[in-house]
Amino acid sequence: MKNFIARCSVVLFLCLPTIIVHAQQRKITGTVFDEQAKPLPGATVVVKETKTATVSDGDGKFVLSIPPSGKILLVSYVGMQTKEIPLGAQSDITVHMQLAPGNLNDVVVVGYGAVKKSDLTGAVATLKGSDLNRTPSSSVDQLLQGKIAGVQVTTGGGAPGAGATIRIRGASSLNGSKDPLVVVDGYPWGDAGNLKQINPEDIESIEVLKDASSAAIYGSRGANGVIVITTRKGKQGQHRISFNTLQTVSFLANKPDVWRDPVEDATFANEAAINGGAIATDVPYIGIYRPVGTGMVYFPSIAELRGLDPNKPKWPVNTDWVDLVYRHPYSQNYTLTADGGSDKTRYAISGNYYNEQGMVIKNGYEKYTSRLNLEQKLTNAITAGTNVILAYTKAYGQQLGVGRSRIWPVYDSTGNYFRNSNTDFGNPIALANQLLNKTKTTDVMGNLYVNFRINSWLQFRTSINAKSGNSIQDQYDPKNSTQRALDNKGSYGSISNGNYFDLLNENYFTITKDFGKRHKTNLVAGFSYQKTENRFSTLTGQNFVNDVMQNENLATASTMLISNSLQRFDLASWYGRGNYTFNDKYLLTITARADGSTKFGSNNKWAFFPSAALAWKAGEEQFIRNLGLFSELKVRASYGLTGNQGISPYQTLDRYGSNKYFTGAVFETGFGPGLAGANDEQGRTIVGGLGNNSLKWETTRSLDVGVDLGFLDQRLTLSADYYIKHTSDLLRLKTIAPSAGYDQQWINDGEIENRGIEIGLNANVINQANFTWSLGGMFTKNTNKVVSMGESNQVFIGTLYESVRQQISTYTVGQPMFSFYGYKTAGIIQTLDEGIKAGLTGVDAQPGEVKYLDLSGPGGKPDGIVDSYDRTIIGNPNPDFIYSLNTNLRYRQFDLSMQLYGVQGGQVWDFQKMTASRWLQRWTPDNPSTEYPRANGTRGWRASDFYLTDGSFLRIQNITLGYNLKTDAVKFVKSLRIYLSGNNLYTFTGFNKGFDPEVGENGINNGAYPRPRAVSLGANVVF
């Protein structure tokens, strides 16, 4: 017994230090979150300078025993910045992880595969979902604006559900498609511009393939760049339910600059009549009835409007149309998501409802989307999956004018909508309530794929991708409510249907093989076949019996018209890519694709698009490592070809058209060669439809040289690229001799060039446990010009504007695309002698008129006459450069982000230039303005640089303030974030008061839908 007690005493003595140590240890608990305040499973938590470690569970939580020497926790996760957290006396820790800027181990999705960012050879930019979702938005288009160098996103207004124009490194075609290709979860959807089917909160990442090397794998579809979208998938060992909501109230960013005082409006109208040649008794506002249309309309005198007429009471009407037409709209956005996975199954399912009221009354947009992402491991070698997206949208209403005279009421004395004559169709309230304009779309997109792992280095993937949709537009104008209704014998109704179906089969092998330690290869080879069918039909009724059923019973119309069309085309492709890496320093990528399209002639259906890229990881060289300066230094160069087939099918064939004409008793149908189009500058109908069996692919040759730099362990990263894109064999419409019986024909003719510089910068300025601050910015300068137009030096494009009686945009050799064409001006004429000496005659030479310049004549020199010979290139709508700055801060549970977006240079053709406040500054004998002309009701405006204004601006795009609530007390809530966000908060610009300078790619402001200023309150909760 004594021996046993003695032995126990020895053992206890030997274990005493360990017992004391354990007695001094303490337990801490914590939760690790990602940038979106969602729990982060699998994060590694280590006590610094010890072997004590653990991993966060599926809810992001961890428990750890801290030894006495433990002072600091290290929390790390792949692709995230490692956090150092002083322990102090706290027992419960919350960790917010941040993406590592420019992390070289990030996986980047490229065409038919993925590579580590450090192994990229082409110009590829990446946006992670956490970067995108800092700024709440209802569309993918808006999220991309100002985020990636080389990508220009232009929204032409703030209409509910409106899309955007997206250009990657400038426009690469004249009449063909200029839009980049969008690929969603490996499925090429089609052109970008209105990605309404995708809920931004479903996005895991967006990659933009900018140069030929990265885009050539998509061949003919990659000429304008590629946007690759990857949606969220469930993660193994994690099951979550998340709910996001966003409530938004919007306001007019700038009130329209219209007449506020009826007296000023009437005074201007009278003055314009006198200056236009009217005598004093023929001016409108003198208190008498005037003939308008088929009736007589009373116009009050200015004294009556002022209340100074002793014989009449003050005019009782002063309608504020701006206040009646515009409102403070309210929008709602809800998303419910469930995702998770096991070792064999991963799933993600989501549903979204979005309802946006427009700034204009009776305008709105509704969207319902749902998504299913499911992947199942069938065996150790076979994995199958599916991605399905359903979308339903409804847009309704129309843009309404607010420039109507304030002397007219909304309703007349009988309670009907006021019309001052039978041709008065300008009452915006009547238009809002009486007209039907509604569009519904249904889209179903999905793919089914199977991946076979044949052995450790060879895989095969096959997929079936399908996209189908239907669009229905309902329109109805009641009797005599619009000019269109009047022209159609009193009323007009239509139903337009569009149906599309797209089927794509992809099959490709992937080989990943290393040869020793120095040679790595990755090969992709495959085949795809795609069929597309589009059907369109329109049913139109004219002169209905009554307006009760609107367009729901077109059979009640006295005249019914039907039109329909069908388009079918196929695309077959062979493609391959090889990546080779030597010694993890020298990289080579070779890509090739052969595309065959039914759109082209029999001898030109197939085209071959190769590319090659080289990269040198100079930062891995020992002599550069020894500098201790770079954490990354990579030099890239690429050259390659891509194609464009973005024209309608059947252009190789002669086509017949049909038209309805009225014989005086009935409508007859006529058939014949040719297709009637729009009218030209002289008002003649343009006839097309002449086939060209020699049509072939446009080809874009691209050169890119770039460098990727990283400093301070990637806390500061910079990417810079210089590129040249040269497009030849342009697909364009050529004007041909009238003797052919046609006016236009599709041909391959001409060349355009884009060249530019891109810079992207990211900095992780502060990275502490409770405080982080990061900055990001981009700069893009693209210069565009038309190099050749074949036999022609100039082609006019776009709409024929009635106010100036000509087209104002042109493609001209040596000039940028969309250049403005017209007369040059030199201010306002001050004396009749000045006007005559300028070469002007008649009214145009009078003081107060715009002074147009005599630049040329029939002999090529000024001839003392201002006429069509004096028209020339007068402006350029393309910006000099675009830029942005993004900043993100987090302090404990608070986070703050801000985005600035700017455009420098580029002119806007402003048809809205002469607003009310500017007319108040007009030329008069007492106010000899040199900027704004006199009032003149019969002036014949000429297309000139008088309309041009600098379109530069800097916009506070978004500011978002969020707070992450601690949810430890609520077991079933993993995270909860609430935030307040403001969009389009202020625009610094010298542009026309009341209008937004961002007007669209062609630079023409003809009265765009106002872009609202919005304030949103949102919440993200994860269960």
Side-chain angles (χ1 to χ4, degrees), residues 768-812:
Q768 298 179 355
N770 292 322
F771 182 44
T772 61
W773 177 29
S774 62
L775 288 169
M778 71 88 180
F779 171 89
T780 300
K781 179 178 177 59
N782 182 77
T783 303
N784 169 284
K785 72 174 180 178
V786 178
V787 177
S788 168
M789 294 291 290
E791 299 175 358
S792 173
N793 284 326
Q794 185 178 66
V795 174
F796 289 98
I797 60 171
T799 302
L800 176 69
Y801 289 95
E802 189 63 32
S803 59
V804 294
R805 301 174 302 284
Q806 74 170 78
Q807 293 170 288
I808 61 175
S809 300
T810 177
Y811 294 148
T812 300

Side-chain angles (χ1 to χ4, degrees), residues 274-292:
I274 293 292
N275 290 338
I279 60 176
T281 56
D282 283 340
V283 300
Y285 292 94
I286 55 176
I288 63 174
Y289 281 88
R290 291 285 183 193
V292 177

